Each structure stands twice: as C-alpha cells, then as structure tokens.
Amino acid sequence: MTPPKPTSRPDKVSLWRYLRLFRKDILSAQPHRLYRAWMAEFRTPFFRSYLVNQPELIDTVLKKRPDDFPKSNRISEGLRPLLGDSVFLTNGDTWKRQRRIIDPAFEGGRLKDTFPAMHAAGQAAVDRLRLQSGGVVEFEEVTSHIAADVIFRTLFSVPIEHEIAAQVFDKFRSYQREQPILNIAAFVPLPKWLPRLHSRRTKKNAKDIRALIQRLTADRAELIARGGAPDDLATKIMTTRDPETGRGFDTQEMVDQVAIFFLAGHETSASALAWTLYLLAMYPEWQDSLAEEAAALDTPDFSVMSRLKLSRDVFREALRLYPPVPMMVREAKCPERFRNRDVPEGSQIVISPWHLHRQERLWERPDEFDPTRWGTENGKTCQRNAYIPFSTGSRVCPGAGFAMIEGPLLLSMLLRHFRFELVAGQTPVPVAHLTVRSKDGIWLRLVER
Ligand code: HEM
C-alpha cells in the first residue's frame, strides 16, 4: 500500500482531450512519462510550454539566472483582484524592494518570537477538536482553520475568532469557490486577445477582503504611531525601511502584502498538515513514535523544536509526496537552448515540485512514505538537488523557516492528544487547486489518546 497518487492519463491524447482533462485537474492530465523525463515540451497552436524536471535546468531557471526567467504574468490572472501588487506577483525592481522589506521579519532570530503565538493556536485547536473526538472529521477544513489562526496570531496578534479575522477567513473561502486560483491560463496560456473576465461576485469578494485587511492595517498604523503596538510580524514589516531607498510600505502596499501572507501562509500549511495527518493514519507506528516524542512539549518554549526530530522528518516527507505548491511557472525572457532543444523567447517554463519529488531517476522508492530516507545517502543527495517544496533561489518562499516550525509543532501537539484513523472507503484523490488538495476532502476518525 503506497500513499494515494493520481492516475496518469494515457501517453497520447488529442489537444482537446488534454485541455478538457486539464480543466479538471493538472495532475491527472499528465502522462506517466513525466515522472522519468528530464524535460518535456507541450506544443499547441497557441503556446509552447516546457516542463523541466532535471536539477541542473531547475538551478538555471530559479537560482543561476532568475532575472532571465521572471514570474509569468499569466499566472497572475486569477490572483490580481485579491492580491494587487503583492510580492508573490511582482517582478524586477518592485519585487526586489518588497523582499528587502519583508525578509527581515522572517529571519531566524525573529522566528523564535512567533513560537508563543503558534503554540497558542495549537492549544486552541486541541481544545476545539476535543469536542469532535470519537467522530469522523474532514481535516482539510480543520487544518485551514488552524493555519489561518496561526497567521492572524503571528501577524496581527489576534485569534481567528477576532471579528475581522473571522470575516476574512469566511470571505476568502467563498472567493476560492468562485475563482479557482491556480488558473489554467498559467500552464496553458490563452491567446493574449482573449479577455480575462472575473465574475462580479469574485471582484466583490476580493474588494470586501481587501477592505477588511485595510482596516486591520490602518488600525495597526495608528497603534504604531501612538506607540504600544504589539511586537508581531505586522509591526515588524510596517516599521522596516528599505535600506536602499529609505522607504517603507505605504498602507496600500501593506494591504497587498497582508493579502499574500494570509493566502500563501495558510493555504499551503493547511494542505501540508492535512496530508501529513492522512499519511500518519496510514502508518500508525509512525503516529505512536511522534506521540512519544511529543512528550518533550512539557516544556513549551522554542528550544523544544530541536527535540521534535521525527515530527520534522515526517512533515518533510509529507512535503515531498504532497508539495502544497505543485507547479510554478516562469517565462523565458530570451531564446534559450535546453538539452539541445530550442526554447523560444516567451515560452512558459513549468517547474513541477510534484514531478521532481517523485523523479524516478533520482529518488529511491519515490512513491513510498519513508521519513527515514532523510538519513540515507540517497535522501541527503536528493534533499539538496531534487527537493523544492519552498522553491529555491532568490524567490524562495520567505515563510519556509516559519512553516518548518509551524508544521512539526502543530503535528506534535495534535498527536500528543489524539489518534487519527483511516475511514473505510475514504481514500483521498490528490488534485491541484491553488495547493494540492484532495478531491473530496480528507476524512479521518479522531480518537482521544
Ligand atoms: C508548508 C508551507 C509553505 C509552502 C510549501 C510554501 C511554498 C511556497 C512556494 C513554492 C513559493 C514559490 C512560488 C512561486 O515561485 O511561484 C512560495 C512563495 C511565497 N510564500 Fe510560501 N510556502 C509555505 C508557507 C508560507 C508562509 C507561512 C508564508 C508567510 C507567512 C509564505 C509566504 C510566501 C510569500 C510571500 C511568497 C512569495 C515570495 C516571492 O515571490 O518572492 N509561505 N511559497
């Protein structure tokens, strides 16, 4: 029994069948050979895309020459109404300036300060789940709630029950339902002349979410001005000046950034946590080991993190099998030659953590769940060369360190109190939405230890 993997499509299908499959789900629309290929080309009347699945090529695109492969504007289509000019979408000098202001908030030393807020979110989750103990529970919903709580507590020092936080969370869910955020335009670019229509509801939802975030941000700006603002991520980011220009974010720019922190910070962690719980339900012996290790939480301060080693290895393995961001798209700014193939200017370059993490020519037993692999030669080599759940290079996820504390900590807190059991007939099918989700949710039985 190996962890769930979507069935691949047959090798040869017509373009229209491919597009139809694609609309349904990016992962199952791909042929099996991509798990072995170093590179693949998708050629259609409108566009050319190249999937690169070889560490050297990925290095070129993400690490060595990132300026020659900016983020593809096409991926922004679905996100623009909500995210404006967030760091996730910008390129060039604007992006560089934004990262200079954001990055210091996520540096090692600062992360330590987020621990109490994360721990409080974990405790609140345990208290909520106690009420559902003994029942069968859908965990994507649960982990979304927990991860959103973590973001609000670390960013603005308010719990998810806070009036505005709760509204943002709610409205965001309906935005997601209206506008699947990973637009197929990203991978299968539509011709430029085709108008991009966002429904009125989508636009209204985005506007409402931004108005709520604007209130949180304006309130915080006032507190900072008066003195006495809490020492959290929002205060840190809003008081940091760009060392090169001396300018910080104005309120509008800060709204854009908060929107992406909320989105990137909770969707991804929620996906990772839900899949990890499913994997642990498949392998109860790992669950017991983690529960034992979690006794270290008797001293709940930051130093405990260095003792939650198994939890970290399990979380890392879950990020390999179910990378929350399954694919990333860049655009070639000039003509390239990859593996003796011409890649014309303007081509879409797709980097797929999903396929790289299961690259059959690199990983031993790529489809198996084995958290001990990180201690093996093959695991260590692949971790360096073929493991990019947080991307790599200058555009690497600024929240990577944050997520690697949040994930193992929350897992340990949950496992200390509960067991998670499989439910007959409820095998999740991975599909790529904005993040890798299960087609019909992740259902598990929750039992108090
Ligand atoms: C398990 C959790 C997470 C995973 C797997 C993850 C993964 C990623 C990946 C792959 C990217 C690059 C996307 C691309 O280039 O297209 C990214 C970017 C980003 N992430 Fe994360 N992330 C996680 C958690 C977080 C958290 C907790 C935060 C903030 C609190 C965050 C904030 C961001 C931001 C702002 C960007 C845009 C960076 C840029 O383009 O310069 N992420 N993340």
Side-chain angles (χ1 to χ4, degrees):
M1 182 170 76
T2 51
K5 180 178 176 183
T7 22
S8 305
R9 70 154 163 90
D11 232 9
K12 290 224 175 318
V13 292
S14 71
L15 171 64
W16 297 115
R17 166 107 194 271
Y18 180 53
L19 290 180
R20 269 212 318 278
L21 285 168
F22 205 98
R23 263 182 198 283
K24 243 174 65 199
D25 168 45
I26 308 183
L27 297 178
S28 54
Q30 309 308 331
H32 183 82
R33 69 186 153 84
L34 291 195
Y35 290 107
R36 290 192 65 74
W38 293 129
M39 178 169 168
E41 179 176 347
F42 305 93
R43 208 186 273 223
T44 76
F46 299 135
F47 66 93
R48 279 189 194 186
S49 289
Y50 297 84
L51 180 132
V52 293
N53 203 27
Q54 179 182 19
E56 292 75 11
L57 288 178
I58 294 174
D59 245 37
T60 302
V61 175
L62 295 179
K63 269 180 145 162
K64 293 203 185 110
R65 295 170 40 216
D67 289 348
D68 294 337
F69 300 95
K71 269 213 159 169
S72 164
N73 274 335
R74 298 169 193 270
I75 200 163
S76 326
E77 314 282 1
L79 294 167
R80 192 73 64 187
L82 180 65
L83 299 182
D85 272 336
S86 289
V87 63
F88 194 76
L89 302 181
T90 50
N91 275 314
D93 288 344
T94 309
W95 169 79
K96 286 185 183 147
R97 188 178 68 83
Q98 291 173 339
R99 285 291 295 241
R100 287 197 296 271
I101 300 176
I102 288 167
D103 284 354
F106 290 93
E107 272 161 13
R110 296 290 306 186
L111 285 180
K112 197 168 155 220
D113 301 342
T114 60
F115 182 89
M118 286 184 189
H119 189 268
Q123 192 53 53
V126 168
D127 294 343
R128 277 194 308 272
L129 282 174
R130 280 215 173 95
L131 305 174
Q132 300 190 60
S133 168
V136 171
V137 178
E138 200 287 292
F139 272 91
E140 286 191 336
E141 181 89 22
V142 169
T143 55
S144 286
H145 194 146
I146 303 175
D149 195 21
V150 168
I151 285 295
F152 280 112
R153 286 177 193 257
T154 50
L155 204 55
F156 281 109
S157 303
V158 297
I160 186 84
E161 291 81 17
H162 178 274
E163 187 204 333
I164 300 183
Q167 282 188 54
V168 171
F169 183 50
D170 255 20
K171 289 207 173 281
F172 182 78
R173 271 192 300 191
S174 48
Y175 184 90
Q176 277 275 68
R177 273 192 290 269
E178 285 286 308
Q179 167 77 35
I181 291 181
L182 190 85
N183 202 317
I184 66 152
F187 193 30
V188 182
L190 301 167
K192 284 215 170 79
W193 42 262
L194 210 74
R196 313 296 200 269
L197 297 176
H198 297 295
S199 79
R200 280 236 298 280
R201 279 259 290 283
T202 300
K203 282 198 198 137
K204 160 110 180 44
N205 252 327
K207 210 169 138 211
D208 290 350
I209 296 174
R210 292 180 60 87
L212 290 164
I213 295 179
Q214 169 107 23
R215 266 170 65 196
L216 282 175
T217 314
D219 287 355
R220 176 54 57 90
E222 209 182 297
L223 263 185
I224 292 172
R226 266 197 279 139
D231 183 21
D232 50 22
L233 291 175
T235 298
K236 174 72 186 160
I237 294 167
M238 289 173 76
T239 53
T240 300
R241 301 279 165 263
D242 171 12
E244 288 188 19
T245 63
R247 267 186 50 218
F249 288 139
D250 59 29
T251 307
Q252 201 50 43
E253 277 177 306
M254 188 61 193
V255 171
D256 293 346
Q257 311 313 330
V258 172
I260 187 59
F261 288 147
F262 177 67
L263 174 65
H266 101 281
E267 273 282 311
T268 47
S269 295
S271 153
L273 274 172
W275 283 108
T276 316
L277 291 176
Y278 185 79
L279 287 166
L280 285 169
M282 281 186 80
Y283 301 92
E285 63 288 1
W286 275 101
Q287 217 174 132
D288 291 341
S289 309
L290 258 65
E292 225 168 89
E293 180 184 77
L297 284 163
D298 279 343
T299 0
D301 59 40
F302 186 69
S303 65
V304 77
M305 291 313 302
S306 61
R307 293 161 66 194
L308 302 180
K309 289 198 171 71
L310 296 179
S311 189
R312 198 190 50 215
D313 285 349
V314 164
F315 190 64
R316 194 173 271 159
E317 179 71 340
L319 288 175
R320 181 182 72 81
L321 285 168
Y322 302 100
V325 179
M327 291 183 195
M328 298 177 271
V329 186
R330 299 293 190 265
E331 192 163 311
K333 248 172 74 173
C334 41
E336 301 285 343
R337 201 159 164 79
F338 282 174
R339 294 188 62 82
N340 287 330
R341 259 195 252 193
D342 283 325
V343 175
E345 177 186 342
S347 301
Q348 306 290 297
I349 311 288
V350 180
I351 292 164
S352 170
W354 179 277
H355 289 94
L356 183 68
H357 291 180
R358 295 174 186 251
Q359 172 48 283
E360 291 171 0
R361 301 201 215 184
L362 300 174
W363 294 88
E364 283 168 7
R365 299 166 287 104
D367 291 336
E368 284 177 30
F369 172 76
D370 178 12
T372 66
R373 74 169 70 241
W374 305 112
T376 67
E377 263 327 297
N378 177 257
K380 284 182 196 163
T381 310
C382 285
Q383 190 181 353
R384 272 195 310 276
N385 302 331
Y387 184 69
I388 51 166
F390 298 105
S391 184
T392 182
S394 51
R395 267 206 113 125
V396 68
C397 171
F402 180 104
M404 287 308 295
I405 297 171
E406 178 191 16
L409 174 65
L410 293 175
L411 267 185
S412 298
M413 291 182 80
L414 294 176
L415 285 159
R416 195 171 185 201
H417 295 279
F418 304 103
R419 264 188 297 125
F420 299 84
E421 295 174 358
L422 296 179
V423 179
Q426 293 283 3
T427 307
V429 178
V431 287
H433 290 178
L434 170 63
T435 52
V436 173
R437 290 302 172 120
S438 157
K439 192 163 149 278
D440 299 307
I442 292 187
W443 296 84
L444 297 169
R445 179 165 289 102
L446 179 71
V447 182
E448 206 151 349
R449 273 188 192 271

